Amino acid sequence: MAPGSLRPHHAPGRAIAHGDDMPPGIRPATLAEGFALAAERFPAGAFVFLDAAGGSRGDTYVAVLARARRIVAGLRRNGVEPGDTLILYFSDCADFVPALWAALLAGAVPVPLMRSDHSRDHAARIPRIFEHLRTVLASPKVLTDAPVGGHRHLTSITPGDVLALAELEVSNAEDEGPRAGPADGPRLLILSSGTTATPNLVALSEQALIHRWWPTLPNAELATTFLAW
């Protein structure tokens, strides 16, 4: 079994859904192509990240893609290979989005997980969630924006498999190009809420993500601003 792959007896269920058709010449064939196409077609396009205090920060698609490519170079220096499972443990969306793009460009299978330094409920539940992920995933790695000494919830993960985002971006070198992820496997794993039982992993394929992230263009009055959570 390849490192980072799902253990067979915990493989997630598969659901098939097809989104609307996309305009000819716009739909990318891969997520990597979609990121590059967004930066090329909409160079002024940007994310506006909102924080809990009501502040905001903006980054263009071009800047996010450049940062993601630097993170990919750092991931590869640390041995992350296509097909590896990469838990993204983040509190700041401005860091999470380029990290997510980087994981997908590297061919890894990201598992997004929110980090909170202020919630007692989070502090109580997160060690159990990491223990569960260590059980259902084979040798997962963790990429996090936690500060030095802020890895106290990761005791079930091998210390060498915890990667700090700040340390991956020490070099200005960008990766030479995307690597293909699993051809017939999941490209993203999302944890269910787990409010009534142990959280389950929901698997999304590359095509499902493309349909979700690159939909038919919106109506004219909605064409400039989108709100996502």
Side-chain angles (χ1 to χ4, degrees):
M1 181 180 294
S5 59
L6 287 169
R7 299 187 190 281
H9 61 286
H10 286 289
R14 176 170 293 181
I16 299 175
H18 298 280
D20 295 334
D21 291 336
M22 299 182 193
I26 292 182
R27 177 182 174 181
T30 66
L31 290 166
E33 181 184 329
F35 298 153
L37 192 58
E40 177 184 345
R41 288 176 58 89
F42 308 104
F47 293 100
V48 178
F49 302 106
L50 306 180
D51 61 33
S56 65
R57 168 185 166 185
D59 279 318
T60 65
Y61 303 153
V62 174
V64 169
L65 181 58
R67 189 179 178 196
R69 287 171 172 162
R70 292 194 296 272
I71 297 170
V72 172
L75 290 173
R76 291 182 181 165
R77 287 196 304 271
N78 284 270
V80 175
E81 298 289 340
D84 285 354
T85 304
L86 187 63
I87 300 170
L88 303 181
Y89 187 45
F90 281 78
S91 66
D92 188 344
C93 287
D95 288 332
F96 167 74
V97 170
L100 177 63
W101 282 28
L104 293 166
L105 289 172
V109 181
V111 185
L113 189 59
M114 184 192 74
R115 183 176 70 82
S116 173
D117 297 325
H118 308 293
S119 169
R120 292 183 180 179
D121 180 65
H122 175 83
R125 295 179 66 238
I126 202 66
R128 296 196 298 270
I129 291 175
F130 270 106
E131 178 62 32
H132 174 63
L133 290 175
R134 189 192 64 80
T135 300
V136 300
L137 300 171
S139 304
K141 293 180 172 62
V142 179
L143 176 59
T144 181
D145 62 351
V148 175
H151 301 162
R152 62 187 182 278
H153 299 318
L154 308 182
T155 54
S156 59
I157 304 295
T158 303
D161 288 335
V162 179
L163 308 176
L165 181 68
E167 295 177 3
L168 298 189
E169 295 188 89
V170 294
S171 171
N172 287 327
E174 294 184 13
D175 190 74
E176 71 280 2
R179 291 188 184 181
D184 56 355
R187 290 292 277 120
L188 179 72
L189 297 172
I190 300 177
L191 275 169
S192 64
S193 65
T195 53
T196 57
T198 302
N200 293 313
L201 286 169
V202 179
L204 294 176
S205 69
E206 181 137 20
Q207 289 304 307
L209 289 171
I210 289 172
H211 274 288
R212 182 176 183 84
W213 285 355
W214 203 275
T216 301
L217 295 177
N219 295 329
E221 66 270 18
L222 304 176
T224 59
T225 305
F226 300 86
L227 176 65
W229 56 274

